[in-house]
């Protein structure tokens, strides 16, 4: 219960805008219950949201050790690499996530977006297609379909991606 109470306190402090106090409480929650998926997940997300990508990556790796069958740890690690501007590492982790968890929507979509930004249009198209097959009715899938439709109509380079 102590870990959970620290987690809840951290969430309240975050809502109040007390970022450092919120993270201190979440860290205490992880310390009190190192096996708390919820506390680790919240820590990763708070660290990423505040640009502390090195720490976020370490927390994501800890989450992966705790939950190796969960795709979120991989997606969070990739986001940390991406936040640090380490695109090749982010791509490698996203690819690993998609290989292990082929229906994980965030990994599929984020990999497609990163590939598109890198100008790897064929690979990006394959990832968008995989995402659309996995999540045909989601709002993100509808946005991806709209982006693909516009790209077909107005041509490469028109949506901010390289020509």
């Amino acid at each position: 219960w102590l870990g959970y109470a620290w987690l809840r306190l951290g969430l309240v402090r975050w809502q109040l805008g007390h970022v450092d106090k919120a993270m201190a409480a979440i860290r205490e929650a992880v310390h009190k219950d190192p096996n708390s998926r919820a506390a680790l997940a919240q820590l990763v997300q708070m660290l990423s949201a505040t640009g502390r990508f090195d720490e976020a990556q370490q927390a994501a790796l800890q989450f992966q050790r705790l939950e190796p069958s969960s795709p979120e740890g991989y997606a969070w690690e990739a986001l940390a690499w991406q936040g640090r501007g380490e695109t090749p590492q982010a791509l490698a982790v996203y690819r690993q996530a998609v290989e292990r968890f082929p229906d994980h929507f965030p990994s599929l979509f984020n990999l497609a977006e990163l590939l598109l930004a890198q100008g790897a249009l064929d690979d990006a198209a394959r990832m968008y297609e995989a995402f659309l097959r996995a999540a045909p009715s989601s709002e993100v899938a509808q946005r991806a379909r709209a982006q693909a439709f516009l790209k077909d109509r107005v041509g490469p380079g028109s949506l901010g991606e390289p020509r």
Side-chain angles (χ1 to χ4, degrees):
W1 287 96
L2 286 176
Y4 183 71
W6 280 107
L7 172 62
R8 300 300 288 170
L9 176 61
L11 294 171
V12 169
R13 286 179 171 168
W14 184 264
Q15 291 295 315
L16 291 170
H18 304 157
V19 173
D20 290 332
K21 288 181 178 182
M23 283 207 264
I26 299 298
R27 288 181 196 279
E28 188 61 27
V30 172
H31 176 74
K32 295 290 183 193
D33 184 2
N35 295 321
S36 171
R37 289 182 61 207
L40 271 172
Q42 195 60 52
L43 182 61
V44 171
Q45 293 174 51
M46 285 181 176
L47 290 166
S48 292
T50 57
R52 299 172 189 180
F53 298 113
D54 291 339
E55 294 173 81
Q57 182 181 21
Q58 293 307 310
L61 292 170
Q62 185 178 350
F63 187 90
Q64 285 176 32
R65 286 189 295 276
L66 183 63
E67 287 291 332
S69 63
S70 174
E72 283 80 11
Y74 294 90
W76 292 329
E77 180 190 359
L79 285 171
W81 282 115
Q82 199 172 345
R84 291 175 18 198
E86 303 284 345
T87 302
Q89 292 86 345
L91 285 168
V93 175
Y94 277 131
R95 283 187 172 113
Q96 182 182 15
V98 167
E99 184 177 307
R100 292 193 67 199
F101 310 100
D103 292 336
H104 188 241
F105 308 146
S107 293
L108 287 165
F109 190 80
N110 290 338
L111 177 56
E113 291 284 290
L114 199 52
L115 288 166
L116 182 63
Q118 295 298 303
L121 301 180
D122 290 335
D123 290 338
R126 280 192 291 279
M127 286 302 106
Y128 282 124
E129 288 165 0
F131 173 83
L132 293 169
R133 281 191 305 274
S137 64
S138 79
E139 180 182 329
V140 177
Q142 291 171 4
R143 282 197 311 254
R145 274 195 293 278
Q147 186 173 7
F149 174 80
L150 287 174
K151 183 178 167 200
D152 286 344
R153 295 292 185 254
V154 293
S158 58
L159 298 175
E161 74 270 8
R163 292 182 184 266

